[in-house]
Amino acid sequence: MTLARFFDTIGPMLLGPADAETTAVALLGEPSALLTERLALYRRFCDLHRHGTLEGVFAETHGAVVVTVSEARWDKLLAVYFEAHVPTDWELNGNGMRFPEFLARSEDVADLPRWIAELADLEWLEWQTHVSPDVPSDLSKVGPRRLGSTVALRVYQHALLEWLDADTEERPSAPRECSEAALGGAPVLFWRDGALRMHRETPAAETLVVLQAVELGRPTEALADALGLDAARVRAAESELRTCGVVIGGT
Amino acid sequence: MRAQEIGGVGVGLRRPYATELLERAENLAGRVDWIEVTPENWLRYGGARRRLFEQAIECFPGVPHSVSLSIGGTDDLDGTLIDAIGELCDRWGAPWWSDHLCYSSVAGAQLHELLPLPFNEEVIEHVARRAERVQAACGVPLVLENATYYAAMPGGTMDEASFLVGAVESADCGLLLDVNNVWVNSLNHGTDPEAFIDRMPMDRVLQIHVAGHTRFDHVVIDTHIGPVSEPVWRLYRRAIARAGRFVPTLIEWDQDIPPLDRVLEEVDRARIEAGRALGSEETP
């Protein structure tokens, strides 16, 4: 057997679709029970790594799928995801990058509640906020006013933070839907502070105005005026955002 | 940076005790001589993890020990990994880096598992060609580790020792001799672990691993859990005695990781066992 044929034969088992029995027969014709058993072991190891790829970063999403549907549904979800998005990254967690998008768009997940895709997006952003590469300009107070490189703002249709931060004993089976809110949902602000701690919280209206002003390159007070917000409170919000590293420069 | 000397006993940089290791680094001088880092677990990150990693490579000399090279695979070698490791070696002054004589990707997919190759000449030649390309691209010597195998793969025409020696000699690579893997393979396949050690080209052995393993009903798994077993220490002494020198030795305790002090007991034990092997009751 050539090396190329060896990999062609064993690959489908290691990637999940083929079972050990079929693979053992394809490799050896009449394999021993021991070989089949040990091939099954390798198949199991590879499967565990695929699970580990998603169950670390997306621990809450995993739990939500299991509670809402079943562990078997989660297993199937993983198989379909990795078939669609081959794990090419040598950094294990990096292979989960497209999981939130997959949950949001794939026809294979139409049976799952929509908030589960939002939860996966939130968990991915938490992870990215924690480990995204350092950007030297984050440490420099000079230069134009800007947002820190780890700052991200998402608006979800469900009150995910309220749900995640609830006592697990009292947590409802699903987060509250909040699409009627003024902003069209529940905003969540993510950032990493100067001490390299990850934060995610619901931003106040004043905070959102500051973020918008920075993004648009407009004076904060002018935007606050236009939106009818108290200028002093908006100034205080900007000062606090500078302290915690969300807004940088421009002074 | 000029390559640093690696000698004595080291530990893997593991997150459960990494902060404590750095806090105690000054007091551990002469006890923890170097560290081994798994680049896949550190290089891509920023933030607190990056800061910890940078402090670690500042405090200790050491070497990268990767798990994703897939030297025996047929997928393209991943230039991003090789470049990242080369840059790390250069910055850290690592004298070599290591990975495993195995494959870990197939059909373009990373499997994150160290998988056994068929033991034959075709694979030896294949590994040698790829190792040459890796070493040319990275600019730092590649050292290959003997891996565990729970099943001999079809197409094998030789035993594991012949395959391993053939591969490192054809590839002109150093050898990372994992003594626990020798023991685990002997238990799973009924081979003679002492004869295996005796066949190793000790002049190529740049590093040794010792670790714990776990016995299940029908198989022994290289889990890196628990202390090093007595049979593995016996094999370790045999390897050191054959080498006639204190080969840099790493304690691998990678799952169910205990407090640092427990890992340090294994570090101390390695030093004592190496001393016994070299005919000295004194610490080598």
Side-chain angles (χ1 to χ4, degrees), chain B residues 68-136:
Chain B
S68 307
L69 179 62
S70 200
I71 194 74
T74 49
D75 288 339
D76 289 344
L77 292 162
D78 190 326
T80 66
L81 177 68
I82 295 166
D83 289 349
I85 292 172
E87 189 272 335
L88 171 63
C89 289
D90 188 47
R91 199 157 55 86
W92 194 10
W96 67 79
W97 65 292
S98 58
D99 203 299
H100 305 77
L101 181 56
C102 72
Y103 69 100
S104 53
S105 78
V106 69
Q110 287 282 356
L111 298 163
H112 300 283
E113 180 62 36
L114 308 173
L115 296 154
L117 294 155
F119 299 153
N120 64 39
E121 282 295 341
E122 181 196 6
V123 177
I124 287 175
E125 289 168 16
H126 173 71
V127 166
R129 283 193 299 272
R130 280 164 70 94
E132 185 180 0
R133 286 167 49 203
V134 168
Q135 299 199 86

Side-chain angles (χ1 to χ4, degrees), chain A residues 13-24:
Chain A
M13 182 197 76
L14 300 171
L15 294 168
D19 62 36
E21 292 77 10
T22 310
T23 305

Side-chain angles (χ1 to χ4, degrees), chain A residues 1-3 6-7 10-11 14-15 27-28 35 37-39 41-42 45-46 49-50 86-93 95 127 130-134 192 194 196, chain B residues 40 44-51 68 72-74 78 80-81 103 106 108-113 115-116 118 122-123 126 149-154 218-219 221:
Chain A
M1 175 179 287
T2 64
L3 193 56
F6 169 73
F7 285 123
I10 204 166
L14 300 171
L15 294 168
L27 285 169
L28 275 180
L35 177 70
E37 180 187 302
R38 299 285 169 86
L39 287 179
L41 193 62
Y42 281 119
F45 288 162
C46 293
H49 293 307
R50 282 189 290 274
V86 173
T88 57
D89 197 335
W90 40 265
E91 194 278 302
L92 189 80
N93 299 299
N95 294 301
W127 169 246
H130 188 57
V131 303
S132 63
D134 300 315
R192 189 163 77 212
L196 307 179
Chain B
E40 291 90 337
R44 196 61 74 66
Y45 302 147
R49 290 189 185 203
R50 186 73 191 191
R51 181 178 288 179
S68 307
T74 49
D78 190 326
T80 66
L81 177 68
Y103 69 100
V106 69
Q110 287 282 356
L111 298 163
H112 300 283
E113 180 62 36
L115 296 154
E122 181 196 6
V123 177
H126 173 71
Y149 65 106
Y150 304 117
M153 291 296 112
H218 303 292
V219 68
I221 303 286

Side-chain angles (χ1 to χ4, degrees), chain B residues 192-255:
Chain B
D192 180 344
E194 294 184 349
F196 187 98
I197 295 287
D198 291 347
R199 290 175 63 189
M200 291 300 104
M202 297 310 294
D203 56 329
R204 285 189 183 272
V205 177
L206 297 182
Q207 192 183 324
I208 287 179
H209 276 174
V210 287
H213 53 262
T214 306
R215 287 173 182 262
F216 295 90
D217 284 347
H218 303 292
V219 68
V220 183
I221 303 286
D222 174 36
T223 53
H224 296 186
I225 292 176
V228 178
S229 69
E230 291 307 318
V232 171
W233 284 127
R234 278 199 298 277
L235 283 178
Y236 173 69
R237 289 196 299 271
R238 191 177 188 96
I240 292 288
R242 278 205 68 230
R245 61 194 159 88
F246 189 3
V247 180
T249 301
L250 187 101
I251 305 297
E252 289 189 301
W253 198 325
D254 300 332
Q255 296 191 76

Side-chain angles (χ1 to χ4, degrees), chain A residues 210-224:
Chain A
V210 175
L211 298 178
Q212 194 179 3
V214 175
E215 285 285 80
L216 296 173
R218 290 181 59 186
T220 307
E221 290 189 10
L223 196 59

